Amino acid sequence: MSIQARRPLLVFFLLLTALLAWLPQLDIVAKERVDAGLKRALISFATARTLNGVVSTLQETTLSFQPMGVGVTTAPGQVLDPINDLIEQFSSLMLGATVSFGLQKALLAIGAQPTVKACIAMALLAAALAVAWRGQMPRFARVVLTALLLVRFAVPVAALGSDAVFHAFLKDDYQASQQGLALSAGDMHGLVTDARQQASAAAPPYLADRFKQAIKLPDIGAFAEQIKQSAEQAINHLIQLIVVFLLQTLVVPLLLLWLMIAAVRAGLGSAATAGWAPPKQAAIR
């Protein structure tokens, strides 16, 4: 595109951006998306803490069975050491995710202030006038305008973009993993509760009834295997949730921020040279 055709297009985009800076719909929609993400992070954090409580209880639990008066003792929580470490890391990640969403809400509130909007709009209008009349923008003005545009649009764009990626690619995985994690916690809690009830049952007075009670006692090996399977399922769900929240709160926002910075620099760099043309060389006689 020629320099003369580029100048009015840049002026139009600068004026359009100044108008967009005043629109409240951008802040309202972005805040709704951030609130939804914060709610998901809090739910996952609460589920992880519940699972952590179940695992801690299992690790401290010792079940004693006394069929026919012979004591059998087992500690089913010994197989849960790997998941306990992963839950601690996941809880730290969820705490970071909630802080990230809370910081986004604070930055959205700052960018939505009328004073900030007025400063950005005036800077954009001044830039449009500079491009229209002088054909270029000073370097200092480009740096200041880049910073103001990032303050106003970076967080809303990152919030909307990461939420769009979540609903397009991550929503189903999140829901399945969240439900599976809650079910795994319930399964492990139910297994221990049932075993405790059977282990604490009083011995029947008659020998035949004691034989029946011994037959009904849970198989220790099968019992430990069930807990191990529940723990492995919980680990898979935790890893999937870690991927979801890392993408939504770190990878996608940083990628969108980088793309926005590159776009703003390219646009303002074009504005800086919109009215510049190389000098004509004198004809050699």
Side-chain angles (χ1 to χ4, degrees), residues 222-250:
F223 179 70
E225 184 64 25
Q226 287 178 332
I227 292 180
K228 183 179 179 181
Q229 290 178 359
S230 297
E232 291 176 350
Q233 293 176 359
I235 288 175
N236 293 332
H237 297 317
L238 284 171
I239 292 175
Q240 186 62 48
L241 287 175
I242 288 174
V243 172
V244 169
F245 281 101
L246 279 179
L247 285 174
Q248 189 178 7
T249 61
L250 184 63

Side-chain angles (χ1 to χ4, degrees), residues 14 32-33 36 38 61 67 73 106 111 180 182 198 205 207 250 259-260 269 272 275:
L14 289 171
E32 292 176 352
R33 299 296 184 267
L38 178 59
T61 298
T73 302
Q198 296 183 36
L207 185 60
L250 184 63
L259 291 175
M260 185 177 178

